[in-house]
Amino acid sequence: MTTATIIQSLASGLLMGLLYGLVAVGLALIFGLMDVTNFAHGEFLMLAMYITFFLFAFFAIDPILAAPLVGAAMFLFGAVIYLLVVRFAMRAKANIGMVQIFTTFGLAILMRGLAQYFFTPDYRSINVSWLGGRTIEIGGVFLPVPQLVGALVSIAAFGALYFFMKKTDFGRALEATREDAGAVALVGIDKNKVFALGWGLGSALIGLAGAVMAIFFYIYPDVGASFALIAYVTVALGGFGSVFGAFAGGIIVGLVEATTAMILPPSLKSIGIYAVYLLVVFIRPRGLFGSI
C-alpha cells in the first residue's frame, strides 16, 4: 500500500465524513433541543432523495439547484411532523420516553411503507447531472466532484447553523429552550414554536444532505436505514446533544471507515466505526464533546 493510496483513501473518507456530519447534525439538534431521538431520521433522508429525484425527473432541476428547494420542503415537513405527531407524543402522562421512541419508530415504518407503495421498491438514480461522474485532481489526489461539493455544502450549512444559533434572537431562544424549556415559558417564549423550528431546521439539514447524495447514491425506500445507523453512532460518538460533536463525529466516522476499508475487505468497513464507538463508550460514555 503506497502513500498515495493512503492519502487518496483518507481524502475520500474526509469528504464522506463531512456528509455524515451534516446528516447527524440534524439528529443531534433535535435531541439536544427536546431529548427526543428521531428514529425516522433515515426516512427523512430517503424522502429528501426522492424529492430531489422527482424535481429532476419532472422539471429537469439539477440536484445542486434543487438542494435549497429540498431543504425548504423538508423544513416544512419536519415542522408539520412535530406539530401533528411528536407534540402529542410529548404529552404522554406515563412512560413518555417509550411513547416518543415508538412514535418516531412507527413514523419510520409508515414512511417506508408509503414509499414502497407509491414509488415501488425499484432502485432509481439521477444519471445525468452537472456534477455526476466528474473528478478533479489536487496534488495528485483525485476527488469526485459530487462528494467535494457535498462536503462544501456541509461546511457551509454547519457554519450557517452556528451563525443562526449564536447571532440571532430566534437562535438564542432555541439555545435557551435547550437549557430550560420550562423557564423560557415564563418570559413569553412559546416552546412549541421553538420545537417546531428545531424539527424544521434538523429536517432542512438532512434535506440538503439528501439532495447531494441523490447524485451518487441509488434511491429506494430503504436507502435511509444504513445512513441513519451511522448517524446514531455519530451522535453518540460526538456526544448526545452536541451539534458540534455530531459534525466532528461525522468527520471521524468517515476517516475511520476509509482506514478500515484499507485494512479489511470493503464489505467490513463498518467494523472500524463500531469498534471506535465502543472504545469511546468505555472511556468517555458521554461522547467526545458531550456534556450529559
Side-chain angles (χ1 to χ4, degrees), residues 140-221:
V141 177
F142 294 89
L143 302 176
V145 173
Q147 284 91 326
L148 179 59
V149 171
L152 295 176
V153 169
S154 299
I155 295 171
F158 181 75
L161 177 66
Y162 181 85
F163 176 84
F164 174 81
M165 295 182 68
K166 300 296 183 183
K167 303 298 182 180
T168 67
D169 291 338
F170 219 123
R172 283 188 279 269
L174 195 69
E175 285 282 4
T177 307
R178 290 178 64 184
E179 294 294 329
D180 193 334
V184 296
L186 300 177
V187 295
I189 296 176
D190 187 342
K191 69 176 184 180
N192 280 319
K193 289 183 179 179
V194 175
F195 286 161
L197 174 66
W199 271 77
L201 284 175
S203 302
L205 291 170
I206 202 168
L208 293 176
V212 174
M213 288 182 172
I215 301 174
F216 53 91
F217 276 105
Y218 284 111
I219 305 164
Y220 57 100

Side-chain angles (χ1 to χ4, degrees), residues 89-156:
M90 294 181 66
R91 295 179 180 176
K93 301 299 183 181
N95 297 321
I96 185 171
M98 295 302 296
V99 171
Q100 293 167 0
I101 288 172
F102 284 115
T103 296
T104 57
F105 187 71
L107 176 63
I109 295 174
L110 175 63
M111 290 180 64
R112 198 178 304 180
L114 290 175
Q116 291 175 345
Y117 179 78
F118 287 107
F119 307 144
T120 76
D122 294 342
Y123 284 60
R124 291 179 168 88
S125 64
I126 297 176
N127 297 321
V128 180
S129 68
W130 292 350
L131 306 180
R134 298 186 180 183
T135 59
I136 61 173
E137 180 184 359
I138 301 177
V141 177
F142 294 89
L143 302 176
V145 173
Q147 284 91 326
L148 179 59
V149 171
L152 295 176
V153 169
S154 299
I155 295 171

Side-chain angles (χ1 to χ4, degrees), residues 23 29 31 33 37 50 63 75 77 117 129 137 154 198 211-212 238 254 268:
V23 173
L29 178 64
F31 181 88
L33 181 65
T37 301
Y50 269 114
F75 177 92
F77 180 77
Y117 179 78
S129 68
E137 180 184 359
S154 299
V212 174
L268 300 177

